[in-house]
Amino acid sequence: MADVEALLARIEALEARALEAEDYRELVNLQGAYGYYVDKGLWDKAADLFAEEGTLEIAGRGVYVGRNRVREYLHCLPEYQDGTIFNHMQLQPVLHIDSAAGTAKGRWRTLMMVGMMDAEVGRWGEATYENTYVREDGKWRIASLHGIINFYCEYDEGWHKG
């Protein structure tokens, strides 16, 4: 009987570890999808990654509360078109996941290349994202995205003048 109980405890522990690993993978993919959708100007797809009451705050431009307000904010960004680049590479994830509670916190670094040929704009940037996540209807969503810009500089002037 003790052997059976030990095996059941081991199975439960392995199931918990498997869930944590799956949650980690899903959260990395979620944040990567956000970066990709922003890169391509797919504002509606980016907004759909947020929880129903999710928030977005980037560079002190205000806090947008709720998926619909996040969508409105994103649609105010420049239109993606030929000659435009909005690369936001999501790097160095540090995730703290509570799989049982369906919540997580994450820190990411993003290296940005922003350019619009028609406006003759070319910029480098780097930011830190301090985000929270929630499992909503069985799917991980962004509960809060808080982007802190560490620097922005003009491409032709160099990083040292940013």
Side-chain angles (χ1 to χ4, degrees):
M1 188 57 118
D3 288 342
V4 172
E5 289 177 12
L7 285 173
L8 289 174
R10 185 172 180 203
I11 289 169
E12 286 180 15
L14 289 171
E15 286 177 339
R17 287 182 62 196
L19 179 59
E20 290 171 3
E22 187 174 298
D23 287 343
Y24 181 89
R25 180 184 51 79
E26 289 178 12
L27 288 162
V28 168
N29 285 338
L30 173 64
Q31 191 66 35
Y34 170 81
Y36 178 80
Y37 293 152
V38 169
D39 290 352
K40 302 302 177 202
L42 300 170
W43 310 129
D44 289 322
K45 287 182 181 269
D48 289 343
L49 300 175
F50 283 78
E52 189 63 40
E53 296 302 317
T55 64
L56 178 140
E57 178 182 10
I58 298 176
R61 296 181 193 138
V63 179
Y64 298 85
V65 179
R67 187 181 297 146
N68 290 332
R69 288 290 290 142
V70 168
R71 188 181 317 281
E72 288 175 23
Y73 168 80
L74 292 171
H75 275 281
C76 289
L77 297 174
E79 183 180 343
Y80 187 84
Q81 57 192 354
D82 286 344
T84 300
I85 187 170
F86 292 145
N87 280 347
H88 290 74
M89 293 169 277
Q90 311 294 298
L91 308 167
Q92 299 177 323
V94 177
L95 294 169
H96 301 278
I97 305 165
D98 185 339
S99 292
T103 60
K105 293 182 180 183
R107 174 179 287 156
W108 303 80
R109 303 291 297 270
T110 185
L111 181 60
M112 298 170 280
M113 294 180 285
V114 177
M116 293 168 273
M117 266 196 319
D118 64 340
E120 296 186 16
V121 170
R123 295 190 179 110
W124 290 105
E126 194 273 335
T128 303
Y129 284 122
E130 295 280 351
N131 297 349
T132 61
Y133 305 90
V134 64
R135 192 182 292 121
E136 194 172 77
D137 297 324
K139 192 170 186 176
W140 283 104
R141 300 280 184 198
I142 299 169
S144 66
L145 184 143
H146 184 195
I148 301 118
I149 303 294
N150 296 316
F151 78 83
Y152 246 135
C153 67
E154 301 305 312
Y155 170 80
D156 59 344
E157 293 180 20
W159 296 6
H160 64 292
K161 294 183 181 178

